[in-house]
Amino acid sequence: MMDISDHHIGDVGILCPDLHIEVHVKTQSTAKFSEVKAHVLLLLDRHSTILATYKWSEFDDEFLNKNVESVTITDAKGPKLVDLKLHNLCIHTFSLNDERPSTLELEEEEELSAANHWLLPATEFHGVWESLVYEEGIKTQLLDYVSTAIFFSDKNVDSNLISWNRVVLLHGPPGTGKTSLCKGLAQKLSIRLSDRYINSQFVEINSHSLFSKWFSESGKLVTKMFQKIQELIDYKDTLVFVLIDESLTAARSAAQAGTEPSDAIRVVNSVLTQLDQIKRHTNVVILTTSNVTEKIDLAFVDRADIKQYIGPPSINAIFNIYLSCLEELMKRQIIHPIQQLLSLEELETMNFMESNITRLSLNLRSIAQRSIGLSGRALRKIPFLAHALYGKSSSMTLEVFLTAMGLAVEKQRQEQAGLVNSV
């Protein structure tokens, strides 16, 4: 079983950092994962240094071409070029579950859905983690926190002496990707810990079902829902993630303020009691989100090991979000021909001086600066709006498309200002 810690001692006593390599096996493949891993090791053996974010999708090896979608270096810390010989290679093989989410039904007659339920890693969550761009360190920190919590549980560390609850709270304004980050984190850990757990499952509680017309039955409904979750947790080789959204984490405050029915307090109290029951199990991770930081229920705050603020994207994050969008559009030939855009780091080494090499990248940086204040959700819509509103043809040059993006940003800002003024 793979050690979860970040470093290992090599044969000569040198501290070797872990390097995580994710191997996406084709769904139709019948090859054993051990065989796939052996071929991946041969692939890596042919390289001494590699880019920290490198991804293979084509292979010289016929076996890999037949059985593997991709091999990706992930979450590498430190320099952009990685010396494979100086790292402990942690190879994680996985294939995706194509099934759509099932629902946990509480009342058959009323078709009251308590939660959505996915088997991980899920096709629906594939690429979510990589698409989220935050300040450097946020995603890695979350991954390390939860990995350590599970590691401590596995080692039977006395939680009375060292306290941890395997409860994560993400808070911040709407549209910053908190729910997506929870899904991406669960997907990532299901791959990272596949040697430890045979299966991983993700349960997203439908809070609105609990705050529906069945208030008189609310306590019973919550108990029923957690009984179903408990059935998943009872399989100790299964890692279970439970996501609780804004509706529950702020409900008691809303009830006390008179904006939610007083019965909401009973619902949340019942959920907290059930959470305390299931978090005693070592194979469950509870993920919670809140859009209004000052209204988070203190009971949720107290139970959380990790309280991470997820704010609006910085200029660096905005630039990288736009960069990933433009690369995708060039890949699909919506922007044509392909032109190289420089990273912010590369622009900085050139002192942001304008030249034929830097002109388009500096234009993108200017658009990113004008986009400060837009949510991550809004930013990802800008390229679509640029093409829909200002696209003159099915295929556009990068320069023309950047002009369209600038116009789309201005329109988005005007609409945002209009909504604020009308309130």
Side-chain angles (χ1 to χ4, degrees):
M1 185 177 70
M2 186 195 77
D3 193 335
I4 230 168
S5 59
D6 278 341
H7 299 85
H8 293 260
I9 303 295
D11 293 337
V12 292
I14 299 171
L15 200 63
C16 298
D18 284 353
L19 183 66
H20 295 280
I21 298 148
E22 294 180 1
V23 182
H24 178 189
V25 178
K26 292 179 179 179
T27 307
Q28 68 272 23
S29 172
T30 56
K32 292 180 179 178
F33 278 8
S34 57
E35 197 176 357
V36 171
K37 195 175 283 191
H39 280 264
V40 170
L41 281 169
L42 290 173
L43 169 72
L44 296 172
D45 202 42
R46 295 198 292 274
H47 299 80
S48 56
T49 56
I50 199 77
L51 281 170
T53 56
Y54 196 77
K55 180 178 182 177
W56 289 269
S57 52
E58 295 178 357
F59 310 95
D60 298 331
D61 183 330
E62 189 179 334
F63 175 89
L64 291 177
N65 266 328
K66 181 182 176 183
N67 294 287
V68 172
E69 291 282 358
S70 62
V71 175
T72 311
I73 310 293
T74 67
D75 308 302
K77 299 171 185 175
K80 287 189 174 182
L81 272 177
V82 175
D83 188 336
L84 297 181
K85 302 274 189 299
L86 298 179
H87 287 76
N88 176 60
L89 304 182
C90 302
I91 298 173
H92 312 287
T93 51
F94 70 96
S95 57
L96 296 172
N97 288 294
D98 292 328
E99 297 174 29
R100 293 184 62 78
S102 59
T103 55
L104 297 180
E105 302 289 345
L106 291 182
E107 299 286 350
E108 290 179 15
E109 294 173 11
E110 302 284 357
E111 293 187 351
L112 182 62
S113 171
N116 290 322
H117 173 215
W118 287 264
L119 296 174
L120 299 178
T123 300
E124 192 174 328
F125 296 171
H126 188 54
V128 168
W129 179 263
E130 291 74 18
S131 72
L132 295 167
V133 181
Y134 297 109
E135 290 304 298
E136 193 172 341
I138 284 182
K139 293 199 298 185
T140 304
Q141 192 175 53
L142 283 172
L143 203 55
D144 290 345
Y145 268 136
V146 181
S147 296
T148 299
I150 295 169
F151 179 59
F152 271 41
S153 297
D154 272 351
K155 293 295 185 182
N156 293 317
V157 174
D158 189 338
S159 59
N160 293 314
L161 297 175
I162 299 175
S163 178
W164 78 96
N165 286 322
R166 293 180 308 284
V167 179
V168 177
L169 170 62
L170 304 182
H171 60 99
T176 50
K178 295 180 295 297
T179 299
S180 295
L181 183 53
C182 287
K183 291 176 177 177
L185 178 63
Q187 178 96 337
K188 196 77 172 171
L189 286 164
S190 74
I191 295 167
R192 186 72 60 89
L193 300 172
S194 57
D195 284 350
R196 168 66 182 84
Y197 294 98
I198 296 170
N199 299 300
S200 292
Q201 320 232 11
F202 186 87
V203 178
E204 182 177 21
I205 292 176
N206 183 354
S207 303
H208 297 292
S209 292
L210 302 178
F211 294 133
S212 65
K213 63 183 178 181
W214 287 272
F215 265 126
S216 59
E217 298 288 310
S218 59
K220 191 166 70 174
L221 292 178
V222 169
T223 303
K224 273 189 180 181
M225 178 180 65
F226 276 92
Q227 280 172 350
K228 290 179 180 289
I229 294 171
Q230 182 66 54
E231 288 170 12
L232 302 176
I233 296 168
D234 284 341
Y235 293 96
K236 294 307 173 191
D237 288 333
T238 295
L239 180 59
V240 180
F241 298 91
V242 178
L243 173 61
I244 299 169
D245 69 12
E246 162 77 14
S247 306
L248 276 172
T249 55
R252 289 203 298 192
S253 298
Q256 285 157 3
T259 55
E260 280 280 7
S262 58
D263 280 337
I265 295 174
R266 190 164 68 245
V267 175
V268 178
N269 287 344
S270 184
V271 168
L272 288 168
T273 301
Q274 295 296 329
L275 282 180
D276 287 338
Q277 292 294 319
I278 67 167
K279 71 184 176 63
R280 294 183 291 110
H281 298 272
T282 58
N283 59 326
V284 64
V285 177
I286 297 157
L287 307 165
T288 61
T289 65
S290 179
N291 285 339
V292 190
T293 299
E294 59 271 18
K295 289 187 179 177
I296 306 171
D297 196 316
L298 285 176
F300 284 96
V301 175
D302 289 344
R303 284 164 172 78
D305 299 316
I306 309 145
K307 296 171 272 287
Q308 178 67 58
Y309 176 73
I310 307 294
S314 66
I315 183 172
N316 286 13
I318 295 168
F319 184 93
N320 288 323
I321 287 169
Y322 283 158
L323 194 60
S324 69
C325 293
L326 292 169
E327 286 171 350
E328 173 66 12
L329 293 175
M330 283 192 267
K331 181 181 173 183
R332 305 300 172 191
Q333 296 192 329
I334 292 171
I335 295 175
H336 188 78
I338 292 173
Q339 288 179 269
Q340 181 67 43
L341 283 165
L342 303 173
S343 68
L344 280 176
E345 292 83 358
E346 289 166 331
L347 286 172
E348 193 173 2
T349 61
M350 300 176 186
N351 294 318
F352 299 101
M353 296 287 289
E354 185 164 345
S355 67
N356 287 335
I357 295 170
T358 62
R359 186 172 56 84
L360 292 176
S361 303
L362 287 171
N363 190 356
L364 179 60
R365 179 171 174 256
S366 172
I367 294 168
Q369 286 172 324
R370 301 201 302 273
S371 303
I372 290 172
L374 296 179
S375 70
R377 189 181 296 148
L379 292 169
R380 293 255 175 220
K381 289 178 182 173
I382 292 294
F384 172 81
L385 293 173
H387 195 282
L389 299 174
Y390 308 106
K392 302 300 181 190
S393 63
S394 57
S395 182
M396 302 162 69
T397 65
L398 180 57
E399 185 168 9
V400 170
F401 196 86
L402 286 172
T403 302
M405 277 182 66
L407 292 170
V409 168
E410 292 310 312
K411 182 173 175 58
Q412 192 80 351
R413 283 206 155 288
Q414 287 167 11
E415 288 178 357
Q416 199 176 54
L419 284 170
V420 170
N421 292 334
S422 65
V423 173

